Amino acid sequence: MSTPEEPQPGRTIALLGSSGGNLRSHGGDDPDRLLRDVVRQADAAGFSIAAAQFVAAESSMEQASCDTPASLWSLVDGTPTVVMRGTLSEVNTAAREMDAAIANQVVAGEIDGLILMSADPDDTNERTMVAAAASEIPAAGTGGTSIAAAQKLGVRLVAASGTTGTTSTTRAVSYISGLARYWGTSYRPSLGGGSSNASAAPESAWRRISIRGIMVGSIPAFIALALVLALSQIPWLSGLTPVFDALIAGLPIVVSAVAARKISGLGEVGLVAGAVAGILATEGGLLGGLVSGILAGLLSAWLLKWTLSHSFPATTANIVTGAVAGLVPGLLVYFALAPVTDALGLGVKSGIEWAVGVNPALAGAIAGLVIWPAIIGGVYHSVILPLVLLEMGEKGYSFFGAIDMVSLVMVSLGITLANVIVPRSSGERALAGSGVAVNFFFGTFVEASYPFMFGDKKVFAIALIAATGGGVVVGLTGAEATAYLPAVVAPFVSTTALGMTLSMAVAFGIAFVLTLLAGLAYRRARGRAAVAA
């Protein structure tokens, strides 16, 4: 019999469940993720999942029939694995056999506690439930109907809740919190990262704050903004202007939601908290959304732990976390911080405009020159990209966005295309060709030119010269645009299509011609060396 009087290390748990009715729409349709989340939280508490039996049907159990396709999942060497597929009737037969084996483990004292996820106490889990009741081991679970049936059999439920409003992550935290509290074990939930990393050590929400990660995750919204802005310039599509205004006003919500989701590590719960906070933070601009999202993520992670440690049902803990963690930082920004964050955002935009206005050619040259060292040194995603998105969040265009497309993408395109035409070895043509395609059609993967830049100092110098030349033209023409778009699209999402096209052509032309000449010189030198030998 398991008792709570004295904490003991190495507690073993049996996991029983099914994809259920309501659970199927709350993560039960993804047994792999669901089981991995439980394993991850168990590891964080020092517990082990000694047995697992999970019946997954391809439809809700409320509508399933005996012929519904289904699968039986278990843990093999700690990894969620399908051990049988068939009709639900066939899978249930195999599940009953597994249930008998787990019941024997309980009777033998090899199982210290149960986790129940929409389990079936009246059929496929009956023997284990009866054995658990007799052994008086604790259980934690979700699923209103199944929990009631388990209680009727006398199972000692130390944490019980319905499924509504929960996620695979928050349910797993709820189960382990309940058992850890019962056994007097210290438990710090392991949040953030992927569920596949089941053995990851618990990480503080503070350590998951990454401006780079938040901004990169938000890029699709900014690209949507740029496309709508470009389309709205077409006379017969001028009706899209209000759509652009709506998108630019909604960017703080996107950034806040992404930030809260990443920092909280709670999936949908963090996402909702961030969205609520972001709605209230829109007056603070993009930085207001960023601040509200970070605070919502931190508060979500803490609040979920607090509610579960105080025996809140999982459903209530999820709802309280998502609502309160969104409202508190949202109201803080709305009533106090919005003027400050908005002023900071406008200040950054004005500062860039001032620098470009003082000496456009010099500003463009410096920006073009430093952007390659920035991306190689890892500074790009931490500094340049946030500046691009901050500018776009204020007006839809960005000076650094134009520099990105001109001095990175077009320079990379010129270098890789030259190496397609004049490769130095048989394998370089294919390597360069893939880079050309991605650079031109997708406006990304400038790292494709790294092998050629790092393999020859001349090519590296060419990249810097071309980037600087393209930057000068960006400054002189006043071009502002965005990155991460096809090369043929970029001019049409800029402030000046002619200026952007000219800037791109200059950077590409310098990189292409000089790299081509360097390649030809290399071939001639190699030919002379071969003749001399």
Side-chain angles (χ1 to χ4, degrees):
M1 182 177 74
S2 176
T3 60
E5 286 81 10
E6 184 178 344
Q8 298 177 25
R11 298 285 190 175
T12 56
I13 300 169
L15 187 157
L16 310 173
S18 74
S19 54
N22 194 23
L23 177 61
R24 182 171 172 76
S25 61
H26 287 71
D29 57 345
D30 187 358
D32 182 80
R33 163 74 185 272
L34 184 148
L35 295 174
R36 286 181 186 275
D37 277 339
V38 174
V39 171
R40 180 179 183 181
Q41 299 307 324
D43 286 347
F47 305 153
S48 62
I49 307 298
Q53 176 235 58
F54 189 87
V55 177
E58 293 189 9
S59 68
S60 168
M61 288 294 186
E62 295 168 347
Q63 284 84 44
S65 66
C66 292
D67 297 325
T68 298
S71 55
L72 180 61
W73 289 72
S74 188
L75 293 176
V76 178
D77 296 326
T79 302
T81 305
V82 176
V83 295
M84 179 189 175
R85 295 185 189 275
T87 65
L88 183 57
S89 178
E90 294 168 341
V91 168
N92 280 341
T93 298
R96 293 185 193 101
E97 295 175 1
M98 189 177 289
D99 176 50
I102 297 173
N104 289 336
Q105 287 182 271
V106 173
V107 172
E110 298 173 3
I111 301 295
D112 297 313
L114 300 182
I115 289 177
L116 311 176
M117 294 184 284
S118 294
D120 189 354
D122 298 322
D123 188 0
T124 53
N125 302 126
E126 182 179 11
R127 293 188 180 184
T128 301
M129 297 282 193
V130 171
S135 300
E136 297 184 358
I137 63 174
T142 52
T145 303
S146 65
I147 290 299
Q151 288 176 318
K152 186 176 180 181
L153 289 175
V155 175
R156 178 180 292 179
L157 269 299
V158 297
S161 172
T163 301
T164 301
T166 63
T167 68
S168 293
T169 299
T170 58
R171 282 192 303 275
V173 173
S174 172
Y175 304 144
I176 302 303
S177 291
L179 292 173
R181 186 172 59 249
Y182 177 82
W183 285 322
T185 302
S186 176
Y187 163 57
R188 180 180 176 184
S190 176
L191 303 173
S195 298
S196 59
N197 191 12
S199 60
E203 182 183 36
S204 167
W206 289 94
R207 296 180 62 84
R208 292 194 291 272
I209 298 176
S210 168
I211 305 301
R212 168 181 174 171
I214 295 166
M215 290 305 189
V216 170
S218 304
I219 284 177
F222 290 86
I223 297 301
L225 175 76
L227 291 174
V228 169
L229 179 58
L231 291 173
S232 68
Q233 306 305 309
I234 302 173
W236 51 277
L237 290 177
S238 59
L240 287 175
T241 299
V243 176
F244 169 78
D245 293 337
L247 281 172
I248 205 167
L251 286 179
I253 302 174
V254 174
V255 172
S256 180
V258 171
R261 186 181 190 278
K262 287 181 175 292
I263 294 167
S264 70
L266 296 177
E268 293 91 335
V269 175
L271 186 70
V272 170
V276 171
I279 291 170
L280 294 172
T282 52
E283 293 299 319
L286 198 64
L287 287 179
L290 181 63
V291 170
S292 69
I294 291 174
L295 294 177
L298 293 172
L299 185 56
S300 293
W302 176 83
L303 197 54
L304 182 75
K305 299 172 192 175
W306 185 87
T307 52
L308 292 175
S309 67
H310 286 75
S311 303
F312 280 53
T315 294
T316 306
N318 275 254
I319 293 172
V320 169
T321 298
V324 176
L327 276 174
V328 172
L331 291 172
L332 176 63
V333 174
Y334 185 87
F335 286 110
L337 301 181
V340 177
T341 57
D342 187 47
L344 286 173
L346 290 172
V348 171
K349 177 180 77 73
S350 299
I352 294 171
E353 292 175 345
W354 174 83
V356 175
V358 169
N359 192 325
L362 180 61
I366 294 174
L369 177 64
V370 303
I371 199 165
W372 273 107
I375 193 169
I376 293 170
V379 178
Y380 171 85
H381 291 95
S382 301
V383 178
I384 306 296
L385 182 59
L387 286 176
V388 171
L389 301 185
L390 190 58
E391 280 191 278
M392 291 184 67
E394 294 292 340
K395 55 186 177 180
Y397 299 111
S398 169
F399 166 73
F400 280 104
I403 292 293
D404 185 301
M405 175 57 72
V406 170
S407 297
L408 285 180
V409 178
M410 297 312 297
V411 170
S412 177
L413 177 61
I415 292 172
T416 51
L417 183 59
N419 279 279
V420 168
I421 297 173
V422 185
R424 301 189 183 192
S425 65
S426 58
E428 283 192 355
R429 176 173 277 122
L431 179 64
S434 63
V436 168
V438 179
N439 289 163
F440 185 79
F441 291 108
F442 301 99
T444 187
F445 191 41
V446 299
E447 294 84 356
S449 58
Y450 279 6
F452 313 108
M453 293 171 62
F454 297 153
D456 188 340
K457 293 180 180 178
K458 293 178 182 177
V459 177
F460 192 97
I462 288 168
L464 296 181
I465 293 169
T468 303
V472 169
V473 183
V474 168
L476 290 174
T477 59
E480 293 182 324
T482 184
Y484 299 99
L485 288 174
V488 293
V489 175
F492 302 102
V493 294
S494 66
T495 52
T496 164
L498 178 61
M500 189 65 182
T501 301
L502 182 60
S503 303
M504 293 168 67
V506 167
F508 168 77
I510 294 173
F512 174 72
V513 172
L514 294 183
T515 304
L516 195 66
L517 292 175
L520 291 172
Y522 174 82
R523 281 191 173 187
R524 285 195 298 269
R526 187 174 60 180
R528 286 195 297 268
V531 170

